Amino acid sequence: MDFVKEPVALEWRRRVARTCGMAVLGAVTLCVLAGCSESVVEPESPGTQALTSLMTAEQYQNSLGYIFGPGIDLQVEFAPVARTEGLLANSAAIAGVSSAQLQGIQGVATSVAKQVVDATHRNYLVPCKPAALDAPDQDCASTFLSRVGRLLFRRALTEEEVTMYVELAGVAAEELEDFYAGLEIALEGMLISPEGLFVIEHVEPDPENPGQLRLDAYSLASRLSFFLWNAGPDDELLTAAESGELQSEGGIQRAVERMLASPRLTQGMRAFFDDMFAFEEVKTLAKDSTIYPEFTGVTAEDAREQTLRTTIDHLLVNDADYRDLFTTRSSFMSPALAIIYGVPAQPGWSPYTFPEDSPRGGLLTQVSFLSLHAHPGRSSVTLRGQALRELFLCQTVPEPPPGIDFSVVSNPNSHYPTQRERVAAHLETPSCAGCHRITDPIGLSLEQFDGAGAFRLTENGATIDASGGLDGFEFDGALGLGEALRENPELPRCLVQRVYSYGTGGPPELEARAVMDYFNEEFAQDGYRLRELLRTVALSKAFSRIQSDPASGSDADSADGQLASASSN
């Protein structure tokens, strides 16, 4: 069945072909969109800023999990941060530490340190035995603390730091008459140190480009690791940084290839898409139980998991085209979701393919998108249209002007039987019409799904008209919307922008337009495959180059200051 009234892909190619070879965006021509191909060298860029960023709870937990293994119980919760330019990750560099949050971190550090040195774990986590259990042992303490500190601080400890922590362990061991109790105190100090909690990027002159700056080797290792794995660098990556290999052309290529081939890439990309899809809102998602009794907290969490599983399976396991995420019928199903989808339930999670005659296909028809961008008791044309533009096209829809009367739209029992008729009221108000023309035609095509994401054909006894439009293309229903979105050139461009922002800690600046165009062309030539995009960004000069601006340099003192301020409150 052809859900698109106009052959979207062909029309996009015609539009671009008219300008192919004539219009240039920075270093990249529009030819790539029309099917042309030419090799493009990465253009010069000013680079990014060196940042001091508070680790997220998940990054802290992942890092500790790698260092101490799965046997340590980790319960980590940090205060939420605001979303900036489409990502929570863009706010990490401006996140502070409250006194309440510091107390929580202290509690985690105390618990972890106690577990590491207890009788159950010390035999395989502490690589040496003290000369006496009831007295200090500088050699053993130094061996353990320098090894663990290197992984926690993501760099080798200085002699002064090793001495400080060994002395702390010794004093505590002497007072408590217990070597492991002293080791526990020193380890706890490391776990709450600004050097461990904050990712502090340091810069150095770039020897290959006089007058320019780059991340030093340890900072480059951290930026790569948090980007691809959502955790601190492992031993092998730190070793490459220490030897200088990481900053050689062949060395960084080997490191990135190893990281892209690692199972830990799944962990990293789940974190990225969880952020990009704004899934932190799932924690507070609730529906009116009198209207949607089948929608529970388990349903909400499973909806999130379904979309993440679908995304990872499509992009990493199958190495498929990113754009096809919005048309694929392949997914996964859980018993809680099977109720909403109206399909037979299987125990646990299982692969599921929607049949060809199903109205579902792509992420836009999954319960996560449909239920998150709806009201507790009804669907929302405007919220869904706004979410599509902001999450997947990187466009900002302005907030509604003050004093708007929403009563007609929000009252499902008004004399307008369907959402299409109710939201038409927006277009009658000049101050509303501009924004609603770019959101409502999108949302109307999803109206055959209610506020919980279940399929329906009628609303209040009236047949639902699911025709809609996106940027000049008209179609019928959600499948048509998915096809139109797949062919929209802003869809892959938005992913490129989000990936670069996520990896570097902030949205690209205007001066980075040329290198962003370069990333976009490479992404297109590589078949819109995620691994190739990650490789291109991670190996680019723009990823490691730092702006030559003294005010943008990172400083560990700022992290120390935030913790000191929190401690005094």
Side-chain angles (χ1 to χ4, degrees):
M1 181 176 182
D2 185 7
F3 294 91
V4 184
K5 294 181 179 178
E6 188 170 1
V8 180
L10 180 59
E11 178 57 25
W12 276 118
R13 290 180 179 274
R14 285 173 178 167
R15 290 185 183 185
V16 177
R18 285 195 291 268
T19 59
C20 185
M22 295 180 285
V24 177
L25 297 176
V28 181
T29 69
L30 287 172
C31 288
V32 65
L33 296 175
C36 309
S37 176
E38 65 177 72
S39 177
V40 176
V41 177
E42 179 186 351
E44 288 295 315
S45 69
T48 61
Q49 294 186 358
L51 302 175
T52 296
S53 306
L54 178 66
M55 276 202 291
T56 67
E58 190 175 6
Q59 289 170 345
Y60 191 58
Q61 184 166 319
N62 291 342
S63 298
L64 295 185
Y66 167 74
I67 296 169
F68 300 119
I72 301 298
D73 180 36
L74 300 171
Q75 300 294 329
V76 184
E77 288 289 340
F78 288 179
V81 297
R83 183 168 290 275
T84 302
E85 295 288 336
L87 292 173
L88 297 176
N90 287 340
S91 300
I94 57 177
V97 182
S98 67
S99 57
Q101 187 170 352
L102 183 58
Q103 289 177 1
I105 295 171
Q106 177 86 48
V108 173
T110 300
S111 172
V112 170
K114 185 180 294 294
Q115 293 178 72
V116 168
V117 302
D118 68 20
T120 303
H121 301 96
R122 68 177 63 152
N123 288 335
Y124 64 90
L125 290 180
V126 180
C128 55
K129 301 287 185 183
L133 292 177
D134 59 354
D137 186 322
Q138 289 190 352
D139 290 340
C140 186
S142 177
T143 298
F144 172 75
L145 293 171
S146 59
R147 180 179 299 185
V148 169
R150 173 175 174 269
L151 295 172
L152 286 173
F153 292 0
R154 300 170 294 280
R155 58 169 177 78
L157 272 64
T158 64
E159 290 185 9
E160 292 78 10
E161 288 173 326
V162 173
T163 299
M164 179 187 70
Y165 284 110
V166 169
E167 288 180 352
L168 176 60
V171 171
E174 191 166 347
E175 291 186 2
L176 299 171
E177 298 182 349
D178 187 330
F179 169 78
Y180 288 106
L183 209 59
E184 176 185 334
I185 296 297
L187 177 57
E188 183 177 329
M190 284 184 167
L191 289 167
I192 62 171
S193 168
E195 292 284 346
L197 290 173
F198 287 84
V199 182
I200 304 168
E201 294 185 331
H202 298 277
V203 303
E204 63 184 16
D206 185 348
E208 296 181 1
N209 296 280
Q212 295 184 345
L213 300 175
R214 68 180 185 183
L215 291 172
D216 70 13
Y218 283 123
S219 297
L220 177 58
S222 288
R223 183 175 278 197
L224 283 170
S225 189
F226 284 110
F227 173 38
L228 298 176
W229 288 350
N230 200 39
D234 64 0
D235 178 75
E236 188 171 343
L237 190 58
L238 286 175
T239 299
E242 289 163 351
S243 68
E245 179 186 2
L246 187 62
Q247 289 180 311
S248 67
E249 183 176 350
I252 191 171
Q253 288 179 347
R254 283 189 293 273
V256 169
E257 291 302 326
R258 181 179 71 87
M259 297 177 77
L260 290 175
S262 168
R264 299 181 72 186
L265 183 65
T266 294
Q267 169 185 276
M269 289 304 98
R270 278 179 63 96
F272 166 69
F273 284 106
D274 197 72
D275 191 349
M276 179 177 169
F277 295 160
F279 277 169
E280 76 280 0
E281 298 175 7
V282 169
K283 294 180 180 179
T284 57
L285 177 62
K287 297 297 176 181
D288 187 329
S289 60
T290 62
I291 300 174
Y292 305 120
E294 70 282 359
F295 195 98
T296 66
V298 174
T299 308
E301 285 297 335
D302 281 7
R304 176 188 202 167
E305 181 65 19
Q306 178 192 40
T307 298
L308 291 176
R309 284 180 180 237
T310 302
T311 301
I312 296 303
D313 183 70
H314 181 82
L315 297 178
L316 295 186
V317 177
N318 296 319
D319 197 27
D321 189 319
Y322 168 70
R323 302 170 301 167
D324 291 339
L325 262 180
F326 299 90
T327 59
T328 181
R329 293 183 182 272
S330 298
S331 186
F332 295 84
M333 193 64 63
S334 74
L337 289 177
I339 299 173
I340 304 292
Y341 286 108
V343 301
Q346 301 290 331
W349 284 98
S350 58
Y352 183 84
T353 301
F354 291 100
E356 287 299 317
D357 61 350
S358 170
R360 296 188 191 267
L363 298 191
L364 300 181
T365 64
Q366 293 192 351
V367 170
S368 60
F369 181 82
L370 295 167
S371 61
L372 266 179
H373 308 294
H375 297 293
R378 60 184 175 85
S379 63
S380 175
V381 167
T382 302
L383 290 180
R384 288 172 177 173
Q386 178 181 358
L388 182 145
R389 288 201 177 275
E390 294 186 343
L391 297 181
F392 303 121
L393 299 179
C394 294
Q395 299 169 356
T396 301
V397 178
E399 293 292 327
I404 298 299
D405 180 11
F406 292 101
S407 59
V408 172
V409 180
S410 60
N411 180 13
N413 297 316
S414 66
H415 61 281
Y416 299 113
T418 67
Q419 278 279 64
R420 180 177 293 274
E421 293 167 293
R422 289 193 291 275
V423 299
H426 286 307
L427 302 180
E428 298 174 3
T429 306
S431 60
C432 299
C435 291
H436 284 277
R437 285 195 182 99
I438 65 172
T439 58
D440 292 0
I442 297 170
L444 286 170
S445 67
L446 296 170
E447 266 303 285
Q448 288 180 328
F449 301 96
D450 65 20
F455 183 69
R456 61 184 180 176
L457 290 174
T458 63
E459 181 183 12
N460 295 324
T463 300
I464 294 174
D465 175 4
S467 60
L470 173 64
D471 297 343
F473 295 100
E474 297 181 351
F475 42 80
D476 289 322
L479 297 180
L481 173 61
E483 292 285 353
L485 181 60
R486 184 200 183 280
E487 301 302 332
N488 191 314
E490 293 306 309
L491 178 70
R493 294 182 70 86
C494 181
L495 180 68
V496 169
Q497 179 179 323
R498 294 288 190 251
V499 165
Y500 182 73
S501 298
Y502 186 82
T504 59
E509 299 181 1
L510 184 61
E511 294 79 7
R513 180 178 178 181
V515 77
M516 295 304 296
D517 289 334
Y518 162 75
F519 291 149
N520 280 299
E521 177 170 1
E522 291 295 297
F523 190 35
Q525 291 185 354
D526 290 330
Y528 300 102
R529 291 179 295 161
L530 178 63
R531 263 199 184 86
E532 298 302 321
L533 173 60
L534 298 175
R535 179 182 290 108
T536 299
V537 171
L539 293 176
S540 69
K541 296 177 182 177
F543 186 79
S544 58
R545 179 169 294 171
I546 299 299
Q547 294 176 1
S548 301
D549 179 3
S552 70
S554 63
D555 189 352
D557 292 340
S558 64
D560 283 312
Q562 291 189 58
L563 286 181
S565 175
S567 300
S568 64
N569 291 333

